[in-house]
Amino acid sequence: MSWILLVEQALNGLQFGVMLFLMAAGLTLIFGVMGLINLAHGSLYMVGAFAAAAVAAATGSFVLALIASLAAAALAGVLIEATIIRRLYDRDHLDQVLATFALILIFSEGTRWAFGSFPLFLDRPEALSGTVSLPFGIEYSRYRLALIGVGLAVAAGLFWMIAKTRVGIRIRAGENDREMIAALGVDISRLYTLVFALGAALAGLAGALIGAIQSVQVGMGEPVLILAFVVIVIGGIGSVQGALVGAILVGLTDTLGGFLLPKAFALFLSPAAATSVGSSLASMSIYILMAGVLLVRPKGLFGGA
Amino acid sequence: MTRESCLNVVLMGLLLAVPLAAWALDEPFIITLTTRAVIFAIAGVGLNLALGFGGLVSFGHAAFFGLGGYAMGILAYHAQTYTPLMDWPFVIEGTKSMLVIWPVAIVASGLAALAIGALSLRTSGVYFIMITLAFGQMFFYFTISWSAYGGEDGLSIYVRNSFPGLNTMDPIQFFAICYGLLLLVLWGVHRMANASFGLALRAARQNEERLQAVGQVPYRLYLTAFAISGAITGLAGALFADLNRFVSPSMLSWQTSGEIMVFVILGGVGRVYGPVAGAALFILLEHTLGGLSPYWHVYLGAILLGVVLFARGGIFGLLAGREVAHD
């Protein structure tokens, strides 16, 4: 049944989208509050995945592995924020790009030195293996379904935190006017460290969760980082809602494009040609989506005027 | 002579003396290494036009570098397999002549830069950085899935392409070609930077409103600079592919964009000869640090971090003093 396959692909797209959101939320918050473009965000994702794989191998517990990924990524985030990133807030974007590019080189090679070039494997927890039966006879991976649930729960928690809590109010105030909230007695540098650690922890969590589907290896962070950039450009840099909408759009376009485009071209091309044209177009589809959005709204869907 | 022009002469002299000495001592590896530096320098000089003079932080120049590489790869591939590039509506044959390959590489990457620039320049700042990065990735994934020309494995060329009167397989002669092109490009960029176009471009970087007030259109200046910048980087890509006799999607990867940017920053942003110094230093570091440890990127990262945090202005900033604001 083709439509069952379609629903499964749509769920895969949603799962990919919510994981992208975990990455994009941190990037967009860090940009919104501190005005920093952080290429090393993908390295924090990798740190989370490696920490999870190492702890899972030592203890066998997936929950401990997730906690380790959050802690390790947040710690790495605090460390680089306090030593390097802090000096970059007042610099122009070129300096930020280069310094964080340098950080990627250091993180990647450092990890390769510590763990070697071979990929590590992180097993899914026993309770979430196998498939689950959804209505209309759809069988779907239990783990991927759990990822959608976790992703949406984190998104809801993040929105609640930003809308309702004192920290969230300070973050929003920091986006609007840094000098003003500093004048009102908020310790701005602690707020910056906190936001950076929060973004880092979300990236690390995403790394651990995805690490159980794919392999854990050096360089795993950068493809996701670039997609997360596309997400926040589509959504509007600095907007968490925009990041959520953008992430789900990109997730669905990427997954459904790879599934539907070859089939669409098969209607009027030979099967071999349809597969090759369809799959090359599919791999470009999210960038075409991004170009389209920017043509209509140069500041993204949720960006300021 | 200012300190900067002294430095330029010393730099270009060294870049010529090292391979000549290696040639006399019969060390072809050193010649090839210097040729790499010269080719990277051309790519960096191209990016510097957009980044240094126009303030356009492009993180997608690998696309133009790779397009130049594929222009050479595709033409030479068809020539060596004796298959026409296309046979309808008219026949286009492949070629092994550099004099044909270069213009094709320049035009192809220039046109791509024009298209990418026209879209990307609607945005600015961080959006511009990210959208150029994304367009670069788009070309990268396209070449990976382009199975007609090797896909992920890339294309190999058996014999280096030909240049009238020279044996291009001889390292020192191929070096001479690349060095000659570097001089030509440097001369062109130097002329451009000091012509009214270059002055207007620098003015646009500093203050768009004032430039508009005297009747210039910043968008047009930026787009012109971006297209020329892409074309120069494309030429470097064609030479790089010829040097290795191999072209693959890795030429278009985002790390390549980052490296081209590193040449410009290490040397000194906005100095015409800056990327030459940056590319030479990069190759020197790659060679010496790469010999010390397989994890030499850690040291490269640390050096880069040091330059960004403490030595703004790169090599030229250190040796030639701060940029003079008024000539």
Side-chain angles (χ1 to χ4, degrees):
Chain A
M1 273 302 284
S2 156
W3 71 270
I4 289 189
L5 210 56
L6 184 67
V7 173
E8 278 178 13
Q9 291 296 333
L11 281 172
N12 280 345
L14 187 63
Q15 175 259 310
F16 187 37
V18 294
M19 288 299 113
L20 277 179
F21 170 73
L22 293 186
M23 279 291 281
L27 268 182
T28 207
L29 270 179
I30 289 168
F31 185 82
V33 178
M34 286 95 98
L36 177 92
I37 166 172
N38 180 23
L39 294 186
H41 211 63
S43 299
L44 297 166
Y45 172 90
M46 179 184 73
V47 166
F50 272 92
V55 168
T59 66
S61 159
F62 193 73
V63 176
L64 282 182
L66 286 188
I67 294 171
S69 73
L70 283 167
L75 193 69
V78 169
L79 206 67
I80 58 171
E81 201 275 342
T83 51
I84 293 157
I85 302 280
R86 187 169 287 184
R87 300 164 191 271
L88 298 170
Y89 294 145
D90 297 330
R91 298 291 191 87
D92 59 21
H93 296 315
L94 178 61
D95 285 354
Q96 299 175 347
V97 164
L98 282 160
T100 51
F101 180 72
L103 280 176
I104 295 183
L105 294 178
I106 294 172
F107 266 109
S108 292
E109 291 304 308
T111 313
R112 204 193 302 280
W113 175 74
F115 287 90
S117 296
F118 293 104
L120 302 180
F121 292 95
L122 179 61
D123 289 327
R124 299 169 199 189
E126 203 61 43
L128 292 175
S129 61
T131 59
V132 59
S133 301
L134 298 177
F136 308 109
I138 298 165
E139 291 284 318
Y140 194 67
S141 155
R142 198 184 291 264
Y143 183 72
R144 285 178 187 264
L145 201 64
L147 288 193
I148 297 177
V150 170
L152 291 178
V154 170
L158 199 60
F159 283 120
W160 172 79
M161 190 199 86
I162 290 172
K164 300 285 182 196
T165 64
R166 183 166 286 272
V167 175
I169 292 168
R170 285 182 175 167
I171 289 176
R172 280 183 288 143
E175 284 179 344
N176 281 328
D177 196 331
R178 292 184 221 185
E179 281 83 14
M180 194 64 200
I181 72 158
L184 289 174
V186 174
D187 184 345
I188 196 88
S189 83
R190 254 181 58 198
L191 180 71
Y192 285 175
T193 312
L194 184 76
V195 170
F196 200 85
L198 176 70
L202 288 178
L205 177 67
L209 291 172
I210 292 290
I213 300 181
Q214 299 164 353
S215 58
V216 174
Q217 57 188 335
V218 173
M220 66 186 286
E222 279 67 49
V224 182
L225 171 82
I226 290 165
L227 287 181
F229 276 150
V230 172
V231 164
I232 64 174
V233 166
I234 288 177
I237 301 176
S239 159
V240 181
Q241 289 106 303
L244 183 61
V245 173
I248 290 174
L249 260 178
V250 167
L252 288 176
T253 309
D254 190 58
T255 315
L256 290 179
F259 175 64
L260 291 176
L261 280 172
K263 289 196 190 314
F265 280 99
L267 295 177
F268 52 91
L269 284 176
S270 71
T275 312
S276 89
V277 174
S279 56
S280 47
L281 247 160
S283 61
M284 296 162 67
S285 59
I286 51 168
Y287 304 106
I288 296 169
L289 171 77
M290 182 192 70
V293 168
L294 285 181
L295 274 181
V296 185
R297 298 191 61 123
K299 296 256 172 193
L301 294 175
F302 288 77
Chain B
M1 230 165 142
T2 63
R3 275 170 76 178
E4 186 172 342
S5 41
C6 275
L7 198 59
N8 295 345
V9 172
V10 171
L11 185 65
M12 295 307 290
L14 268 177
L15 212 50
L16 189 61
V18 167
L20 283 177
W23 182 49
L25 297 170
D26 197 25
E27 291 271 4
F29 177 69
I30 304 283
I31 304 178
T32 306
L33 216 57
T34 327
T35 313
R36 247 167 83 90
V38 167
I39 293 171
F40 282 159
I42 298 177
V45 170
L47 176 63
N48 196 23
L49 188 62
L51 197 158
F53 297 112
L56 304 171
V57 184
S58 163
F59 210 149
H61 258 54
F64 312 128
F65 194 62
L67 267 176
Y70 268 91
M72 128 49 199
I74 290 170
L75 286 171
Y77 169 78
H78 282 284
Q80 83 183 13
T81 56
Y82 302 104
T83 48
L85 203 61
M86 55 188 249
D87 39 23
W88 188 90
F90 40 82
V91 178
I92 297 182
E93 300 279 356
T95 176
K96 295 283 285 180
S97 165
M98 287 186 183
L99 292 180
V100 179
I101 288 171
W102 295 342
V104 171
I106 290 172
V107 169
S109 46
L111 284 178
L114 196 66
I116 291 179
L119 284 171
S120 308
L121 284 168
R122 294 172 53 86
T123 65
S124 59
V126 188
Y127 282 92
F128 184 82
I129 300 176
M130 292 185 186
I131 194 173
T132 47
L133 174 64
F135 275 122
Q137 286 299 104
M138 183 167 122
F139 278 82
F140 173 67
Y141 284 117
F142 178 75
T143 51
I144 281 189
S145 56
W146 202 10
S147 50
Y149 293 113
E152 218 164 335
D153 300 328
L155 278 176
S156 281
I157 302 302
Y158 307 132
V159 182
R160 209 168 271 159
N161 296 302
S162 58
F163 188 86
L166 290 177
N167 170 18
T168 53
M169 286 305 280
D170 180 12
I172 194 75
Q173 297 192 33
F174 186 65
F175 169 81
I177 293 174
C178 297
Y179 190 81
L181 281 175
L182 174 64
L183 284 179
L184 206 66
V185 165
L186 282 170
W187 175 77
V189 169
H190 181 77
R191 284 291 301 268
M192 225 180 311
N194 292 311
S196 56
F197 167 72
L199 296 177
L201 185 64
R202 275 190 266 188
R205 186 194 62 193
Q206 286 163 9
N207 194 329
E208 276 189 29
E209 281 83 13
R210 281 193 198 165
L211 191 79
Q212 272 171 323
V214 295
Q216 291 277 354
V217 185
Y219 180 84
R220 228 180 278 162
L221 288 167
Y222 287 142
L223 189 56
T224 314
F226 195 75
I228 298 174
S229 155
I232 296 175
T233 306
L235 174 65
L239 291 172
F240 188 69
D242 234 343
L243 174 72
N244 300 323
R245 283 171 285 145
F246 177 64
V247 52
S248 77
S250 74
M251 270 179 82
L252 293 99
S253 71
W254 70 276
Q255 284 94 339
T256 308
S257 293
E259 279 176 8
I260 301 177
M261 210 187 259
V262 169
F263 308 149
V264 178
I265 307 306
L266 276 183
V269 185
R271 316 280 188 134
V272 174
Y273 287 78
V276 182
L281 180 66
F282 183 87
I283 294 292
L284 197 68
L285 287 175
E286 185 182 58
H287 186 59
T288 51
L289 295 178
L292 285 180
S293 151
Y295 308 108
W296 72 280
H297 272 116
V298 172
Y299 305 113
L300 177 68
I303 290 171
L304 186 58
L305 208 54
V307 170
V308 175
L309 290 179
F310 305 113
R312 304 170 77 180
I315 299 173
F316 267 77
L318 278 178
L319 296 181
R322 296 189 70 84
E323 199 173 359
V324 190
H326 304 283
D327 293 320

